[in-house]
Amino acid sequence: MTHRIGVIGGDGIGPEVVAEALKVARAAGVELEEVPFDLGGSRYLATGEVLPADELERIRHLDAVLLGAVGTPDVPPGVLERGLLLRLRFELDLYVNLRPFLAGPGRHNDGADFVVVRENTEGVYAGEGGFLRKGTPQEIATQGSVNTRHGVERCVRFAFALARGRERHRLTLVHKTNVLTFAGDLWQRTFGEVAADFPDVDTGYDHVDAAAIHLVADPDRYDVIVTDNLFGDILTDLGGAIAGGIGRAASGNLNPDRTGPSMFEPVHGSAPDIAGSGRADPRAAVISAAMMLEFLGEDEAADRIAKAVGSSEDVAGTTSEIGDAIAERL
Ligand code: IPM
Ligand code: MN
């Protein structure tokens, strides 16, 4: 079966690492039809377009999307983030951002093997708020956190189902219920109610500030973490730092209901300073592609790629040499 994959290489090192990810996926024996999209900072600077409606429409009918990175220094902050990346997450209803972390013993701890389920369509990312009296001394800026019962529950349910399928079947809610007494209350109540449907999953709760310490000092405490959009954004950068660096951090923006394609991307950015130098590590993109294949039902290929990346710690070289070495180790 051939999978139709939308490929958004994007900017900087994005196209370079995506090329290696696709190379490795093919070497694992998976048939892919690539549908390229020229989206990102370069396109915006050349044409003023961020995500034209007809291209979004074509993306809706694909099996999955693989994205490298978007962002160039000349584009004002927010244009590509809101207009492309977040727009795709919202329009395609990619309500789970799944970020796995795996690391051997490190400087601060004995190793980690946990997954963060980050809510991906609500919270402060929803864009609620605005200015009053902008530019005056009386200026007011508000930015609210939107939390719907529906949005929280579907994310929490996904996390419980994921935890049920893992060896330790343990799920921790991370929030800030002691201060965010409205949003936190909704999350905690929902978590408690859904837990009744998953009696085989052990549950826990940590405040997000405490979780930041535990992630560094005792990450083994975590198996699956479920958390809101902004906490998940911050904690997963921390996760990257403790688990092999940002060059290993992969993610899947999932539409678990499969009403459209899911989108897979390395957590790192476009790194314009090293673009074209061959110094980008493609591993995060390769792991993201493995997550994509797993989501598409290609479990065996996904597993082989994950193992090949795991056994490639000794490999150094250029972006494409690392890609070749991983492909050879399949
Ligand atoms: C991420 C990124 C994005 C986010 C930015 C680029 C909008 O930091 O995927 O973690 O905040 O979600
Ligand atoms: Mn982030």
Side-chain angles (χ1 to χ4, degrees), residues 70 81-82 85-86 89 97 99 118 120 125 229-230 232-233 236-237 251 253 265-267:
V70 294
E81 290 84 349
R82 283 248 163 243
L85 197 56
L86 299 183
R89 289 178 184 172
N97 196 325
R99 297 185 163 177
R118 165 185 174 189
N120 211 29
Y125 280 74
N229 207 339
L230 183 60
D233 177 47
T236 54
D237 265 29
S251 74
N253 297 270
E265 51 166 332
V267 177

Short mmCIF file of all heavy atoms in Angstrom, two decimals, residues 70 81-82 85-86 89 97 99 118 120 125 229-230 232-233 236-237 251 253 265-267, ligand 1:
data_model
loop_
_atom_site.label_atom_id
_atom_site.label_comp_id
_atom_site.label_asym_id
_atom_site.label_seq_id
_atom_site.Cartn_x
_atom_site.Cartn_y
_atom_site.Cartn_z
N VAL A 70 9.81 25.45 10.03
CA VAL A 70 9.53 26.71 9.35
C VAL A 70 10.07 27.88 10.17
O VAL A 70 10.10 27.83 11.39
CB VAL A 70 8.02 26.91 9.05
CG1 VAL A 70 7.55 25.88 8.04
CG2 VAL A 70 7.19 26.87 10.31
N GLU A 81 4.19 31.02 12.69
CA GLU A 81 3.71 30.21 13.81
C GLU A 81 2.19 30.15 13.79
O GLU A 81 1.58 29.08 13.76
CB GLU A 81 4.20 30.79 15.15
CG GLU A 81 5.70 30.64 15.37
CD GLU A 81 6.54 31.73 14.72
OE1 GLU A 81 6.00 32.52 13.91
OE2 GLU A 81 7.75 31.81 15.02
N ARG A 82 1.56 31.34 13.80
CA ARG A 82 0.09 31.38 13.81
C ARG A 82 -0.48 30.99 12.46
O ARG A 82 -1.47 30.29 12.37
CB ARG A 82 -0.40 32.79 14.16
CG ARG A 82 -0.30 33.09 15.62
CD ARG A 82 -1.70 33.24 16.26
NE ARG A 82 -1.57 33.13 17.69
CZ ARG A 82 -2.11 32.18 18.45
NH1 ARG A 82 -2.87 31.25 17.91
NH2 ARG A 82 -1.92 32.15 19.73
N LEU A 85 1.91 26.86 11.12
CA LEU A 85 2.01 25.71 12.02
C LEU A 85 0.75 25.54 12.88
O LEU A 85 0.11 24.48 12.88
CB LEU A 85 3.24 25.88 12.90
CG LEU A 85 3.75 24.66 13.61
CD1 LEU A 85 4.03 23.55 12.62
CD2 LEU A 85 5.03 25.00 14.37
N LEU A 86 0.38 26.59 13.59
CA LEU A 86 -0.80 26.48 14.46
C LEU A 86 -2.06 26.36 13.62
O LEU A 86 -3.00 25.64 13.98
CB LEU A 86 -0.89 27.67 15.42
CG LEU A 86 0.30 27.84 16.37
CD1 LEU A 86 0.08 29.00 17.32
CD2 LEU A 86 0.56 26.57 17.17
N ARG A 89 -2.42 22.80 12.80
CA ARG A 89 -2.85 22.04 13.97
C ARG A 89 -4.34 22.21 14.22
O ARG A 89 -5.04 21.25 14.55
CB ARG A 89 -2.06 22.50 15.21
CG ARG A 89 -0.60 22.06 15.19
CD ARG A 89 0.14 22.58 16.42
NE ARG A 89 1.57 22.23 16.35
CZ ARG A 89 2.49 22.68 17.20
NH1 ARG A 89 2.14 23.49 18.19
NH2 ARG A 89 3.75 22.32 17.07
N ASN A 97 -0.52 16.44 20.70
CA ASN A 97 0.88 16.55 20.28
C ASN A 97 1.65 15.54 21.13
O ASN A 97 1.83 15.73 22.33
CB ASN A 97 1.39 17.97 20.50
CG ASN A 97 2.69 18.21 19.72
OD1 ASN A 97 3.49 17.30 19.58
ND2 ASN A 97 2.88 19.42 19.23
N ARG A 99 4.90 13.50 22.21
CA ARG A 99 6.34 13.70 22.20
C ARG A 99 7.03 12.67 23.11
O ARG A 99 6.98 12.79 24.33
CB ARG A 99 6.67 15.14 22.62
CG ARG A 99 6.10 16.14 21.62
CD ARG A 99 6.46 17.57 21.86
NE ARG A 99 6.21 18.36 20.65
CZ ARG A 99 6.39 19.67 20.55
NH1 ARG A 99 6.83 20.36 21.59
NH2 ARG A 99 6.14 20.30 19.42
N ARG A 118 0.56 16.30 24.86
CA ARG A 118 0.29 17.74 24.98
C ARG A 118 -0.99 18.07 24.24
O ARG A 118 -1.11 17.78 23.05
CB ARG A 118 1.49 18.50 24.38
CG ARG A 118 1.24 19.96 24.10
CD ARG A 118 2.44 20.59 23.39
NE ARG A 118 2.12 21.95 22.99
CZ ARG A 118 2.88 22.71 22.21
NH1 ARG A 118 4.04 22.23 21.75
NH2 ARG A 118 2.52 23.92 21.88
N ASN A 120 -3.29 20.15 22.00
CA ASN A 120 -2.65 20.85 20.88
C ASN A 120 -3.55 21.84 20.15
O ASN A 120 -3.17 22.36 19.12
CB ASN A 120 -2.15 19.79 19.88
CG ASN A 120 -0.90 20.19 19.12
OD1 ASN A 120 -0.08 20.95 19.62
ND2 ASN A 120 -0.75 19.67 17.92
N TYR A 125 -2.94 28.98 23.37
CA TYR A 125 -2.67 28.94 21.93
C TYR A 125 -3.92 29.26 21.10
O TYR A 125 -3.81 29.56 19.92
CB TYR A 125 -2.13 27.56 21.52
CG TYR A 125 -0.66 27.39 21.82
CD1 TYR A 125 -0.22 27.21 23.12
CD2 TYR A 125 0.28 27.42 20.79
CE1 TYR A 125 1.14 27.05 23.39
CE2 TYR A 125 1.63 27.27 21.05
CZ TYR A 125 2.05 27.09 22.36
OH TYR A 125 3.39 26.94 22.61
N ASN A 229 -1.62 22.83 26.65
CA ASN A 229 -0.82 23.19 25.48
C ASN A 229 0.48 23.92 25.84
O ASN A 229 1.58 23.51 25.43
CB ASN A 229 -1.70 24.07 24.57
CG ASN A 229 -1.31 23.99 23.10
OD1 ASN A 229 -0.21 23.61 22.76
ND2 ASN A 229 -2.23 24.34 22.24
N LEU A 230 0.39 24.96 26.65
CA LEU A 230 1.59 25.75 26.97
C LEU A 230 2.53 25.00 27.91
O LEU A 230 3.75 25.00 27.72
CB LEU A 230 1.20 27.10 27.59
CG LEU A 230 2.36 28.04 27.90
CD1 LEU A 230 3.15 28.39 26.64
CD2 LEU A 230 1.85 29.32 28.57
N GLY A 232 2.82 21.87 28.07
CA GLY A 232 3.41 20.82 27.24
C GLY A 232 4.51 21.36 26.34
O GLY A 232 5.52 20.70 26.11
N ASP A 233 4.32 22.57 25.84
CA ASP A 233 5.35 23.19 25.00
C ASP A 233 6.65 23.33 25.79
O ASP A 233 7.72 22.94 25.33
CB ASP A 233 4.85 24.57 24.55
CG ASP A 233 5.90 25.31 23.74
OD1 ASP A 233 6.49 24.69 22.83
OD2 ASP A 233 6.15 26.49 24.02
N THR A 236 8.27 19.90 27.09
CA THR A 236 8.88 19.05 26.07
C THR A 236 10.22 19.61 25.57
O THR A 236 11.05 18.85 25.10
CB THR A 236 7.94 18.76 24.89
OG1 THR A 236 7.45 19.99 24.34
CG2 THR A 236 6.78 17.89 25.33
N ASP A 237 10.45 20.90 25.70
CA ASP A 237 11.81 21.40 25.45
C ASP A 237 12.73 20.90 26.56
O ASP A 237 13.87 20.49 26.31
CB ASP A 237 11.84 22.94 25.39
CG ASP A 237 11.73 23.46 23.96
OD1 ASP A 237 11.11 22.77 23.13
OD2 ASP A 237 12.27 24.55 23.67
N SER A 251 8.12 14.57 17.20
CA SER A 251 6.74 14.76 17.61
C SER A 251 5.75 14.38 16.54
O SER A 251 6.05 14.42 15.34
CB SER A 251 6.49 16.22 18.04
OG SER A 251 6.44 17.06 16.91
N ASN A 253 1.82 15.41 15.59
CA ASN A 253 0.59 16.18 15.81
C ASN A 253 -0.54 15.29 15.29
O ASN A 253 -0.71 15.13 14.08
CB ASN A 253 0.61 17.47 15.00
CG ASN A 253 1.72 18.41 15.42
OD1 ASN A 253 1.54 19.25 16.29
ND2 ASN A 253 2.88 18.27 14.80
N GLU A 265 6.70 16.09 12.93
CA GLU A 265 7.78 17.08 12.78
C GLU A 265 8.80 16.95 13.91
O GLU A 265 8.44 16.64 15.04
CB GLU A 265 7.21 18.51 12.79
CG GLU A 265 6.30 18.77 13.96
CD GLU A 265 5.98 20.25 14.22
OE1 GLU A 265 6.80 21.12 13.88
OE2 GLU A 265 4.91 20.51 14.80
N PRO A 266 10.08 17.20 13.60
CA PRO A 266 11.05 17.29 14.68
C PRO A 266 10.72 18.52 15.52
O PRO A 266 10.17 19.50 15.01
CB PRO A 266 12.38 17.46 13.95
CG PRO A 266 12.04 17.95 12.58
CD PRO A 266 10.67 17.43 12.28
N VAL A 267 11.07 18.48 16.82
CA VAL A 267 10.76 19.61 17.70
C VAL A 267 11.68 20.80 17.42
O VAL A 267 11.32 21.95 17.64
CB VAL A 267 10.86 19.15 19.19
CG1 VAL A 267 10.62 20.32 20.14
CG2 VAL A 267 9.85 18.04 19.47
C1 IPM B 1 6.64 23.62 19.23
C2 IPM B 1 6.99 25.03 18.85
C3 IPM B 1 5.71 25.76 18.45
C4 IPM B 1 4.79 25.76 19.65
C5 IPM B 1 5.91 27.19 17.93
C6 IPM B 1 6.91 27.23 16.79
C7 IPM B 1 4.61 27.82 17.53
O1 IPM B 1 7.64 25.68 19.88
O2 IPM B 1 6.14 22.89 18.35
O3 IPM B 1 6.88 23.23 20.36
O4 IPM B 1 4.86 26.66 20.49
O5 IPM B 1 3.97 24.85 19.74
#
